[in-house]
Amino acid sequence: MRVDAGRIGWSAVQLATQNLGLKRLGVGFLLAGVALQNLGRRQARTLLLLAGVSICSGAVFTGGVLLRSIDSSMAAGFARLGADMLVVPEGALTNITAALLTAEPTDLTFDDSELARLEGIKGVQKVAPQLVFRTDASGYRGGTDSVDVIAFDPARDFTVQPWLEQRLRRPIRKGDIIVGGRRDDALGSELLLFGQPLTVYGKLGKTGVGTHERALFMTFETLAEMRPTMQRMCGEKDPLVPNKLSGALLQLAPGATSRQVRFAILANVPEVKVVSSESMLTSIRQGLAALLNGALALMAIMFVSTALMLSVLFSAIIAERKRELGLLRAMGARRRQIIGMLLTEAGLATALGGIAGVVLGILLMRVYEHSLVYYLDRIGIPFVWLNGWTVGLIGALCIVLTSLTGAVGALYPAWRASGLEPYALMRSEG
Amino acid sequence: MTVSCVDLVKTYATERGDIEAVKGIDFAVRAGEFASIVGRSGSGKSSFLAMIGGLSRPSRGSVRIEDTDIWTLSDDRLADFRNRRIGFVYQFSSLLPTLRIIDNVVLPARLDPTQDAASAYRRARERLDQFALSDYLDAYPSEISAGEQRRAVIARALMNDPALLLADEPTSDLDEVSESEIVEWFFRLKRERPLTLIMVTHNLRLAEQTDRVIHISDGRLVT
């Protein structure tokens, strides 16, 4: 049996009208019903229209969520890091996505006496020393997985503690450990590292920077206490030698330029390399920004092409219904009522398509969630999913935009048809 | 309601050049009169009626209904005038297929923003009852016969109590029984209401029953 969706929809409208005492509503309500029924009358065409619109809306929604996620991950991964520069031993490789959050695990180190020199350089406001040690002998959770242990100085740090999402209600102390955002150790629980019990003092939020998210953070004081055990288990590695650092994160004073500070460091501190946001991170940021802008432009083009497609489609739909429009005009419908009815129809159809597209986008993202994050991570793009509210907002925006695109697409044919004389409309073949 | 027109001309621009469908008609109908316009296909009858009804702008000339020169009105004012003062019955099935019969009939009242929806629906039910269609309030046009559809169209045309009813070949596609039924309705309406009626038809037998028969040939009145 053929199901007349429009008639069912209109019956629902009538039921609401009768039961909710809405009969005083204007003719717009009745004309909206006509619009609804017209969608139901041509089910195959309406379904094709919905499919076309939902593909557009789904692509824009999915693209929007992914781009916004990447954008906010970038903001989290770069802009909120606080460090303007990283000073590492000359020859050390640096992961530029992580550079301003933490030093990279490497056997190269420099002496901590260089800190005083760095602090003395004009334009340097803060210096946060870090020592990063990668090992698979930590026995963390009884396994042999590679773990990054990062030692920091709580008094000088400005890149680790700002990310503390959960923490015990006391200051950090010797024997405490902070876990990265992707670790699931419970707050206050005890974990064994190199056979020594440590208390999980805090957990960081997700930054989108892998090294940071999977690392275990401890103070230099805790490291000093554990050093003999670590040296026994891992051997005499350079990072485990006292008074050595993997790097120092620098925050510049207001007004200082990174170029000046960079030259000053290279002139005064021997055998170090300076990684600054202006040199590498900025280029990445700019590259990604260009990519995001390109994607945004593509989305805009998609909307315009959808509007054009809808315009052509609604031209045909309206041409088919000229007699009906002529009848309404003859009965006294004003031009703007006719335009309103046609735009309502277009807006309704495209809004439905928009909703379908958003639902489709959500389903697709759920299905490919893990592989997508893995892929983006592999190509070095930091990625943290947006929260539900933001996704909902993008979805709503997408539906509204799609609906508006439909209305805009139908505007010109509706305006043209409504401008014809009623008699000319009625004489049309339809 | 008196209707008069002076030097009414209608020219259509086509790819083959301009075609003059109505060639300067002077015409008047008295209030309460039932006039019929007859002529062969393509003689300009429907174009003439459309100009009188405010549906098609004359290329030249004027149409006066009572004291109103309708073609001097703005588009919105003319739409309101059609809505409140003129009822139309067409030669084709003119019910909106997606609306129930009651919603079709109530449309002219709903298009008038001054009318209350509840009373409009009440009057629509009365009209349909008057035309013996009260069993089909919730039916859709495709669910009733051609004669019933035409009666519903007349009910709709009378919804706002117009003073002028224009009918363009209202029985053209009906069988004889339905045709005489519709004609009977027109005469009954004329008896019961202060209604001026102008009907275009090619049926001379039908036209001869009206108060006056006007012949149009090649866009001109033939006396």
Side-chain angles (χ1 to χ4, degrees):
Chain A
M1 197 178 86
R2 187 172 175 272
V3 178
D4 191 332
R7 192 174 284 194
I8 291 169
W10 180 233
S11 298
V13 170
Q14 286 165 346
L15 202 67
T17 306
Q18 283 152 15
N19 293 338
L20 302 176
L22 299 178
K23 283 206 166 174
R24 282 181 178 274
L25 286 177
V27 70
F29 195 58
L30 194 69
L31 295 181
V34 174
L36 195 67
Q37 291 234 344
N38 272 313
L39 292 175
R41 189 167 54 165
R42 301 284 180 139
Q43 285 178 19
R45 188 175 61 193
T46 303
L47 284 175
L48 281 173
L49 172 70
L50 291 185
V53 173
S54 64
I55 288 169
C56 165
S57 135
V60 169
F61 169 72
T62 313
V65 169
L66 293 181
L67 288 179
R68 190 73 193 93
S69 293
I70 292 170
D71 200 31
S72 68
S73 301
M74 281 171 64
F78 298 118
R80 289 169 55 199
L81 296 180
D84 296 309
M85 284 182 172
L86 170 68
V87 179
V88 290
E90 199 174 36
L93 292 171
T94 43
N95 174 354
I96 46 180
T97 59
L100 297 187
L101 194 59
T102 181
E104 274 288 284
T106 168
D107 280 349
L108 295 173
T109 57
F110 60 81
D111 205 87
D112 66 0
S113 61
E114 305 293 356
L115 283 182
R117 279 206 239 187
L118 287 170
E119 281 171 334
I121 287 170
K122 196 181 167 196
V124 174
Q125 189 172 49
K126 283 185 184 173
V127 179
Q130 281 190 355
L131 186 126
V132 186
F133 178 57
R134 178 168 287 175
T135 177
D136 53 10
S138 70
Y140 173 68
R141 295 195 151 189
T144 54
D145 288 348
S146 179
V147 171
D148 289 336
V149 177
I150 300 176
F152 69 101
D153 178 355
R156 289 166 148 169
D157 165 65
F158 56 88
T159 66
V160 177
Q161 292 167 107
W163 287 96
L164 266 174
E165 210 169 65
Q166 302 166 38
R167 48 174 274 191
L168 297 178
R169 289 188 177 180
R170 60 169 175 76
I172 189 167
R173 64 189 179 208
K174 195 160 68 177
D176 282 345
I177 196 152
I178 294 171
V179 297
R182 286 194 191 269
R183 299 287 182 191
D184 53 5
D185 302 272
L187 204 63
S189 66
E190 196 173 79
L191 64 81
L192 284 177
L193 209 63
F194 300 102
Q196 291 197 26
L198 297 168
T199 305
V200 178
Y201 169 78
K203 185 175 179 179
L204 303 186
K206 287 181 179 168
T207 60
V209 175
T211 320
H212 209 255
E213 290 192 336
R214 287 184 288 271
L216 301 171
F217 299 84
M218 62 175 67
T219 63
F220 279 108
E221 202 183 1
T222 305
L223 177 73
E225 193 176 75
M226 294 179 67
R227 186 175 284 122
T229 316
M230 291 168 76
Q231 281 173 333
R232 197 174 58 248
M233 294 173 77
C234 305
E236 286 290 331
K237 303 247 178 175
D238 207 25
L240 296 179
V241 174
N243 305 321
K244 290 290 182 185
L245 298 173
S246 303
L249 292 142
L250 268 55
Q251 198 170 68
L252 302 188
T257 66
S258 56
R259 179 181 285 190
Q260 287 168 337
V261 175
R262 181 191 179 86
F263 283 134
I265 292 170
L266 293 175
N268 292 293
V269 186
E271 297 176 345
V272 292
K273 184 167 91 173
V274 180
V275 181
S276 68
S277 61
E278 270 189 3
S279 57
M280 280 176 275
L281 290 175
T282 306
S283 65
I284 288 183
R285 198 179 283 145
Q286 286 169 341
L288 275 175
L291 184 73
L292 297 182
N293 287 339
L296 277 176
L298 273 177
M299 283 186 206
I301 289 169
M302 204 152 179
F303 266 119
V304 171
S305 62
T306 304
L308 289 174
M309 175 196 83
L310 289 171
S311 191
V312 172
L313 187 64
F314 276 100
S315 292
I317 291 173
I318 289 168
E320 202 173 73
R321 289 171 49 202
K322 277 186 177 172
R323 181 173 282 184
E324 177 185 318
L325 303 182
L327 281 169
L328 286 168
R329 289 279 282 146
M331 277 187 272
R334 292 183 172 194
R335 194 175 174 188
R336 63 173 171 273
Q337 287 176 315
I338 297 292
I339 294 175
M341 182 182 82
L342 295 170
L343 297 195
T344 302
E345 188 174 330
L348 266 176
T350 46
L352 286 175
I355 291 168
V358 168
V359 171
L360 198 72
I362 289 172
L363 290 176
L364 274 174
M365 282 193 287
R366 292 292 294 176
V367 169
Y368 293 105
E369 189 176 356
H370 296 295
S371 47
L372 185 75
V373 174
Y374 174 73
Y375 175 72
L376 289 172
D377 218 24
R378 263 189 58 194
I379 60 172
I381 296 176
F383 191 84
V384 179
W385 284 106
L386 296 175
N387 62 47
W389 282 108
T390 314
V391 173
L393 192 70
I394 293 175
L397 194 69
C398 207
I399 293 164
V400 170
L401 269 178
T402 315
S403 184
L404 279 176
T405 305
V408 167
L411 184 61
Y412 180 64
W415 179 78
R416 269 193 64 179
S418 69
L420 292 173
E421 292 185 333
Y423 186 60
L425 284 167
M426 283 191 286
R427 279 182 359 136
S428 301
E429 285 302 313
Chain B
M1 178 182 267
T2 56
V3 180
S4 62
C5 53
V6 178
D7 191 24
L8 215 50
V9 173
K10 182 69 186 181
T11 307
Y12 294 105
T14 70
E15 287 175 2
R16 289 173 294 150
D18 288 353
I19 293 175
E20 208 169 39
V22 177
K23 301 172 179 172
I25 292 181
D26 296 306
F27 169 80
V29 176
R30 293 186 308 277
E33 193 173 15
F34 187 173
S36 55
I37 301 170
V38 293
R40 299 177 65 162
S41 294
S43 59
K45 316 184 287 291
S46 294
S47 294
F48 175 59
L49 197 74
M51 288 188 284
I52 292 175
L55 302 177
S56 178
R57 182 174 290 279
S59 306
R60 197 175 72 212
S62 64
V63 176
R64 187 170 285 274
I65 298 179
E66 289 289 12
D67 299 325
T68 309
D69 185 347
I70 62 167
W71 288 108
T72 61
L73 299 174
S74 67
D75 192 66
D76 280 354
R77 296 276 306 273
L78 183 58
D80 290 346
F81 189 88
R82 283 195 301 264
N83 176 256
R84 290 170 190 167
R85 308 292 285 157
I86 308 175
F88 295 95
V89 180
Y90 308 96
Q91 58 185 304
F92 57 89
S93 171
S94 61
L95 296 170
L96 300 192
T98 56
L99 290 184
R100 298 177 304 166
I101 298 299
I102 181 93
D103 293 319
N104 262 291
V105 172
V106 86
L107 257 178
R110 300 300 308 279
L111 286 166
D112 179 355
T114 64
Q115 292 195 43
D116 169 61
S119 66
Y121 271 96
R122 194 183 57 246
R123 279 191 296 116
R125 276 193 291 274
E126 286 168 11
R127 292 278 181 277
L128 285 166
D129 187 42
Q130 185 185 352
F131 283 89
L133 290 167
S134 48
D135 288 343
Y136 303 113
L137 300 184
D138 293 324
Y140 284 83
S142 59
E143 295 165 353
I144 62 176
S145 71
E148 287 162 342
Q149 284 183 31
R150 204 53 52 93
R151 273 163 28 215
V153 170
I154 299 171
R156 183 179 68 189
L158 298 172
M159 190 59 206
N160 285 348
D161 292 318
L164 175 64
L165 185 66
L166 302 178
D168 188 359
E169 302 201 30
T171 60
S172 63
D173 58 347
L174 298 181
D175 57 64
E176 272 188 38
V177 178
S178 300
E179 182 181 30
S180 48
E181 198 179 71
I182 295 300
V183 172
E184 180 50 39
W185 271 112
F186 282 133
F187 284 108
R188 191 191 296 184
L189 287 173
K190 186 181 172 301
R191 284 196 301 273
E192 292 173 357
R193 294 161 177 266
L195 191 64
T196 304
L197 250 153
I198 302 175
M199 175 175 71
V200 164
T201 181
H202 58 267
N203 186 332
L204 259 179
R205 181 180 54 80
L206 177 61
E208 279 164 1
Q209 298 175 57
T210 63
D211 299 335
R212 183 151 62 114
V213 182
I214 297 149
H215 293 263
I216 290 188
S217 176
D218 192 25
R220 292 189 176 85
L221 285 189
V222 182
T223 50

